[in-house]
């Protein structure tokens, strides 16, 4: 029985888009992948313990490897293999991916000691659900996929019922007995819970449907309810594209290859993008512009009424820095720039001593002394600037001193000198004035 039916694993858990998981470690496994979505196969426990492995579809080799090294991946553009846990992820599934796959293990280099396993992959469309028990319900079905209607609670308790699209009878029955099903080749009805499943949806399936319920044979005790079915193309193949702009901001665009009426949402580092992180756009825009300092895992989710697909990429900054300073050429700037030799700021250094400070830049010297020992906290440039300042001060002081001495000497030559003598035992003080020869 196991060899005939294999192992069916179908987990419709949504991670990044519509994604299913299948355990291909069991021989004969039957797997299902969503059309336009992703399937994740568990092919082995740990590839590093296997000498060589080949994974084929028919005669075409898809994946080859040796232990931790992948030597060939024919669908690398839309797949990835993780040797440490033996998982192979295939994205953007199409009908061409349907088929039988074979995995061969070579335990050693001889090529004789090997094992073989097979699995079958089937592709299914996206599936939606709609409660049609409410009159006027609006339902959405995925193009090429499946919609499941809940038309009633239990058909066995209803004498007669009919479901129409316009004037065309689609489904008719009496209690638990079918009378008519015009689309029996792609639909199924379960009377016990009143659910109707329609597969392979097309645009022609869209429109208004009417359900008539007759509770007795008289035909007078009845009810009518309608629903509207809209068909949408599922979202698939979401892509992110980014570019750096002139001042270091980053423009990012989100798009999908397919999908009717797409809606967008963004997160950065797992949180919804806020206006403080954006220069333009918002968390629901298709195109956004991130501020210069924003980086991390950026995720865009594209959704419509039938699917939701998320694409995540690591975003880095454009390398710009914010300058709020005076450049070496004397220009004051306050803007985002790429750091270059031309965008070097004048560095200020502060010396401290007691309660006083000394701030020195290459163009400005401001010194206040408190007759205490200053503590150096700057760079070697500071010492050079300080030495230059001291030399300048000494030179200026010397020039000023000698100028002052010369001026004083000149004044002394043109003035009279008085010599005062005091004689003992007398109370007379004689002042003697000496004149220069020019006064005679």
């Amino acid at each position: 029985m196991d060899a005939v039916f294999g192992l069916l694993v179908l987990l419709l858990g949504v991670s990044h888009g519509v994604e299913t998981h299948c355990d291909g470690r069991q021989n004969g496994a039957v797997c299902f992948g969503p059309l336009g979505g992703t399937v994740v196969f568990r092919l082995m426990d740990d590839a590093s313990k296997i000498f060589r492995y080949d994974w084929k579809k028919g005669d075409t080799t898809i994946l080859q490897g040796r232990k931790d090294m992948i030597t060939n991946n024919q669908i690398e553009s839309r797949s990835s293999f993780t040797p440490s846990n033996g998982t192979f992820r295939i994205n953007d599934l199409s009908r061409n991916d349907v088929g039988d796959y074979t995995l061969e293990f070579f335990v050693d280099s001889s090529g004789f000691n090997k094992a073989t396993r097979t699995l079958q992959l089937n592709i299914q469309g996206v599936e939606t659900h709609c409660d049609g028990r409410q009159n006027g319900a609006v339902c959405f079905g995925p193009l090429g996929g499946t919609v499941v209607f809940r038309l009633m609670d239990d058909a066995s308790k209803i004498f007669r019922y009919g479901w129409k699209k316009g004037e065309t009878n689609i489904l008719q029955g009496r209690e638990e007995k079918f009378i008519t099903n015009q689309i029996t080749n792609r639909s199924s009805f379960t009377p016990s819970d009143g659910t109707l499943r329609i597969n392979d949806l097309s645009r022609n399936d869209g429109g208004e449907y009417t359900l008539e319920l007759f509770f007795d044979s008289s035909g007078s005790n009845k009810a009518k309810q309608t629903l509207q079915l809209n068909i949408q193309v599922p979202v698939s193949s979401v892509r992110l594209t980014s570019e750096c702009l002139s001042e270091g901001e980053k423009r990012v665009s989100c798009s999908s290859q397919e999908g009717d009426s797409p809606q967008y949402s963004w997160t950065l580092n797992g949180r919804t993008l806020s206006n403080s992180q954006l220069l333009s756009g918002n968390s629901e825009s298709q195109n956004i512009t991130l501020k210069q300092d924003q980086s991390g895992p950026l995720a865009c989710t594209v959704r419509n009424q039938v699917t939701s697909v998320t694409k995540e990429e690591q975003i880095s900054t454009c390398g710009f820095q914010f300058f709020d300073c005076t450049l070496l050429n004397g220009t004051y700037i306050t803007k985002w720039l790429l750091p270059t030799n031309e965008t070097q700021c004048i560095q200020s250094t502060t010396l401290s001593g007691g309660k006083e400070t000394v701030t020195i830049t290459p163009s400005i010297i401001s010194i206040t002394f408190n007759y205490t020992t200053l503590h150096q906290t700057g760079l070697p440039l500071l010492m050079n600037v300080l030495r230059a300042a001291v030399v300048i001060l000494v030179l200026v002081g010397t020039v000023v001193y000698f100028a002052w001495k010369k001026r004083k000497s000149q004044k002394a030559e043109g003035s009279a000198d008085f010599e005062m003598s005091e004689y003992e035992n007398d109370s007379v003080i004689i002042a003697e004035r000496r004149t220069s020869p020019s006064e005679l």
Side-chain angles (χ1 to χ4, degrees):
M1 183 67 70
D2 290 341
V4 176
F5 295 103
L7 176 66
L8 174 63
V9 179
L10 178 59
L11 301 176
L12 291 177
V14 176
S15 175
H16 286 254
V18 181
E19 180 175 293
T20 60
H21 293 250
C22 181
D23 192 343
R25 294 173 296 180
Q26 300 295 321
N27 187 41
V30 179
C31 306
F32 290 85
L35 182 65
T38 299
V39 63
V40 182
F41 300 102
R42 184 74 184 276
L43 299 180
M44 58 197 83
D45 294 322
D46 185 353
S48 66
K49 299 179 180 179
I50 300 172
F51 177 74
R52 182 165 64 90
Y53 48 89
D54 294 337
W55 199 53
K56 300 179 180 180
K57 181 188 176 187
D59 294 328
T60 303
T61 300
I62 304 296
L63 178 72
Q64 287 180 307
R66 291 175 178 270
K67 297 185 177 180
D68 288 330
M69 183 174 66
I70 301 171
T71 58
N72 180 37
N73 183 355
Q74 291 293 325
I75 53 174
E76 185 176 7
S77 61
R78 61 186 184 96
S79 69
S80 62
F81 180 64
T82 306
S84 61
N85 60 12
T87 58
F88 189 55
R89 175 186 296 267
I90 304 178
N91 305 310
D92 300 333
L93 291 168
S94 69
R95 299 290 185 187
N96 293 329
D97 294 312
V98 172
D100 295 323
Y101 292 78
T102 302
L103 180 65
E104 292 183 320
F105 299 93
F106 299 89
V107 181
D108 52 41
S109 58
S110 67
F112 296 104
N113 191 8
K114 67 177 183 177
T116 301
R117 287 206 303 261
T118 63
L119 66 82
Q120 183 185 76
L121 175 61
N122 299 301
I123 302 298
Q124 288 185 331
V126 180
E127 181 175 293
T128 60
H129 293 253
C130 181
D131 191 344
R133 293 173 296 179
Q134 300 296 320
N135 186 40
V138 178
C139 306
F140 292 86
L143 183 66
T146 300
V147 63
V148 180
F149 298 104
R150 183 78 185 275
L151 299 179
M152 59 197 81
D153 292 324
D154 186 352
S156 65
K157 298 179 180 180
I158 299 174
F159 177 75
R160 181 164 61 88
Y161 50 87
W163 198 56
K164 301 178 179 180
K165 182 186 178 185
E167 298 299 323
T168 303
N169 288 315
I170 305 296
L171 180 70
Q172 289 181 309
R174 288 177 178 272
E175 297 177 339
E176 294 183 356
K177 182 180 179 181
F178 287 123
I179 298 175
T180 301
N181 183 354
Q182 294 293 331
I183 53 174
T184 186
N185 62 321
R186 62 186 183 97
S187 70
S188 61
F189 181 67
T190 307
S192 60
D193 60 6
T195 57
L196 175 67
R197 175 186 295 269
I198 304 177
N199 305 311
D200 300 329
L201 291 169
S202 69
R203 295 288 190 186
N204 294 331
D205 291 314
E208 185 174 89
Y209 293 79
T210 302
L211 177 66
E212 290 184 326
L213 305 173
F214 300 89
F215 298 102
D216 55 36
S217 58
S218 67
S220 58
N221 187 8
K222 64 179 182 178
K224 181 185 290 187
Q225 59 198 44
T226 62
L227 65 82
Q228 178 73 35
L229 175 60
N230 300 302
I231 304 298
Q232 284 191 341
V233 175
V235 172
S236 66
S237 303
V238 173
R239 290 178 175 83
L240 293 181
T241 57
S242 61
E243 61 175 333
C244 290
L245 302 183
S246 59
E247 294 189 1
E249 60 269 53
K250 178 162 285 190
R251 177 182 172 87
V252 188
S253 298
C254 182
S255 62
S256 61
Q257 184 175 351
E258 295 180 324
D260 289 336
S261 304
Q263 297 177 330
Y264 304 88
S265 60
W266 296 84
T267 63
L268 181 62
N269 294 307
R271 297 182 179 180
T272 301
L273 273 176
S274 64
N275 291 334
S276 63
Q277 297 171 302
L278 294 166
L279 286 174
S280 67
N282 56 56
S283 61
E284 296 180 353
S285 301
Q286 181 179 3
N287 304 307
I288 60 171
T289 302
L290 293 169
K291 289 185 176 180
Q292 293 88 340
D293 58 349
Q294 298 301 308
S295 64
L298 179 69
C300 173
T301 298
V302 185
R303 61 168 56 84
N304 57 16
Q305 297 293 336
V306 297
T307 46
S308 176
V309 181
T310 298
K311 177 70 173 181
E312 182 178 286
E313 289 185 3
Q314 187 74 23
I315 295 294
S316 60
T317 66
C318 296
F320 280 56
Q321 294 181 10
F322 185 70
F323 290 83
D324 184 6
C325 65
T326 300
L327 299 180
L328 294 177
N329 62 9
T331 304
Y332 176 75
I333 60 169
T334 172
K335 63 189 302 185
W336 288 87
L337 295 171
L338 280 172
T340 63
N341 292 334
E342 288 74 29
T343 57
Q344 292 185 9
C345 294
I346 295 175
Q347 301 293 327
S348 296
T349 306
T350 300
L351 301 180
S352 62
K355 297 181 179 179
E356 306 299 331
T357 61
V358 178
T359 302
I360 299 177
T361 71
S363 59
I364 300 173
I365 301 177
S366 175
I367 305 177
T368 304
F369 291 100
N370 192 32
Y371 298 103
T372 59
T373 302
L374 299 178
H375 175 66
Q376 181 179 355
T377 59
L379 300 172
L381 175 62
L382 172 62
M383 294 305 300
N384 294 331
V385 173
L386 186 56
R387 291 190 186 102
V390 171
V391 171
I392 293 171
L393 290 175
V394 170
L395 291 175
V396 171
T398 302
V399 172
V400 171
Y401 173 77
F402 282 106
W404 173 77
K405 287 284 289 182
K406 182 178 180 180
R407 185 176 180 183
K408 181 178 179 182
S409 176
Q410 289 175 345
K411 285 185 177 181
E413 290 178 358
S415 64
D417 294 327
F418 291 87
E419 186 178 71
M420 302 185 71
S421 302
E422 182 177 349
Y423 297 91
E424 288 185 353
N425 303 322
D426 288 317
S427 60
V428 178
I429 298 176
I430 298 174
E432 182 181 355
R433 180 178 183 273
R434 295 179 181 178
T435 59
S436 62
S438 63
E439 292 179 333
L440 295 176

